[in-house]
Amino acid sequence: MHASQLQARCLLQMSLPKRPLQCHMVMQTRSVFPIRKQPRDGGQRSGLILTRAAAGSVKEGTSLKDNAAFKAAVPGSEGKKLSLDSLIGKEALVAFFFPKAGTSGCTVEAAQFREHQKEFDGLGAKIVGISGDSPKDLDMFQQAQRLTYPLLADELGELRKAFGIEPMTRVTFVMDKEGKVIMVYQGPKGSDPKEHIKKSLAALKSQSGGGDNSGLANDASKAGQNAPTAGDMNSLKNLPDEANESYTGAETL
């Protein structure tokens, strides 16, 4: 096409009227089929989970007697199903949620609760440990640490959701015999697991008007002497321990 012909065609196109019909059709198409942008978090699901957790938060003063999750039977160690509701009535209850059976921090915490079992008994309180481990793993953990209290396998995280706490966190609740929460404790990340035993005993003693528990910190070595060796723990399949090279971050678990 010669330059003169191209120039003539351009002038002709410029002189033609606009075509509003086509523009209208484009606008219709865009309104009928809007483009939906995905949220940055991949959807609204994460927001829903956070809302549920916040709504289910259990605080001091909360009564759990009418909480459905509190009454639900959960598989546990020794092949037994237990509900938290069945563990109270005549006695108070200390329920400690721990991240993972066999890890260093959880082993220290579980052993310390065992070492102070008689003290809790004297204050009229039962103890129960709760984690997301399987009943089989909790069975082995209970046997290895010679724990004198039951463990519950919250594999689906229903109890954690009901209490409003995040997965893989360490939180302890103390309830009176009526099912009312008198203490909630979650230490800062990396804190000493033994603080959960101290806080629990202090809460129970304050209810009964008892003394302090200042001697607890000196019992760590005693708990270590009574606990199984690393070799004993290595004999338990699927349960990591301090000597397991695949385990890292003991201070956070």
Side-chain angles (χ1 to χ4, degrees):
M1 182 179 293
H2 296 290
S4 58
Q5 292 176 324
L6 181 60
Q7 184 177 11
R9 172 178 260 185
C10 290
L11 291 173
L12 178 63
Q13 288 179 345
M14 292 175 63
S15 64
L16 291 175
K18 302 292 183 182
R19 300 170 68 179
L21 181 60
Q22 287 186 354
C23 295
H24 177 68
M25 290 175 66
V26 171
M27 291 176 64
Q28 273 192 325
T29 302
R30 288 179 180 175
S31 62
V32 174
F33 302 102
I35 298 174
R36 297 181 180 180
K37 296 182 179 180
Q38 289 290 338
R40 290 184 178 181
D41 64 354
Q44 298 179 351
R45 181 168 179 170
S46 60
L48 182 61
I49 292 174
L50 290 175
T51 302
R52 285 179 179 171
S57 295
V58 172
K59 302 176 181 179
E60 291 181 12
T62 301
S63 176
L64 298 175
K65 290 296 290 183
D66 297 324
N67 190 312
F70 190 66
K71 297 181 179 181
V74 180
S77 55
E78 301 177 346
K80 298 178 181 179
K81 280 191 174 184
L82 292 173
S83 67
L84 295 179
D85 184 61
S86 69
L87 296 174
I88 64 170
K90 294 182 179 180
E91 296 180 293
L93 178 65
V94 178
F96 70 98
F97 287 82
F98 60 97
K100 181 70 177 173
T103 54
S104 296
C106 296
T107 299
V108 168
E109 182 181 23
Q112 282 290 303
F113 270 113
R114 178 198 67 212
E115 288 302 306
H116 293 272
Q117 178 79 61
K118 290 184 179 180
E119 198 168 353
F120 282 104
D121 290 343
L123 292 167
K126 292 182 178 179
I127 303 170
V128 62
I130 306 168
S131 76
D133 296 290
S134 69
K136 180 180 178 181
D137 284 353
L138 290 180
D139 249 343
M140 291 189 289
F141 184 55
Q142 185 183 52
Q143 293 171 21
Q145 297 301 325
R146 296 188 291 278
L147 303 181
T148 52
Y149 50 83
L151 302 175
L152 298 183
D154 186 31
E155 291 185 276
L156 299 179
E158 295 299 328
L159 284 175
R160 281 188 176 270
K161 290 178 184 177
F163 277 78
I165 55 179
E166 298 178 358
M168 300 302 286
T169 51
R170 191 186 310 283
V171 187
T172 299
F173 296 85
V174 178
M175 292 150 271
D176 65 17
K177 61 183 180 180
E178 304 299 329
K180 179 181 177 181
V181 177
I182 61 175
M183 188 211 77
V184 181
Y185 177 69
Q186 179 178 4
K189 187 176 181 180
S191 61
D192 190 343
K194 294 192 293 296
E195 285 296 316
H196 290 257
I197 292 82
K198 292 181 183 180
K199 299 290 186 183
S200 299
L201 287 171
L204 291 166
K205 288 178 180 178
S206 67
Q207 289 286 307
S208 62
D212 63 19
N213 56 338
S214 57
L216 178 64
N218 297 324
D219 291 334
S221 59
K222 181 181 176 183
Q225 290 171 0
N226 292 336
T229 64
D232 294 331
M233 287 296 292
N234 281 333
S235 67
L236 299 175
K237 296 180 180 179
N238 302 321
L239 271 184
D241 74 307
E242 301 92 323
N244 192 327
E245 294 180 358
S246 65
Y247 172 69
T248 58
E251 68 282 357
T252 64
L253 293 178

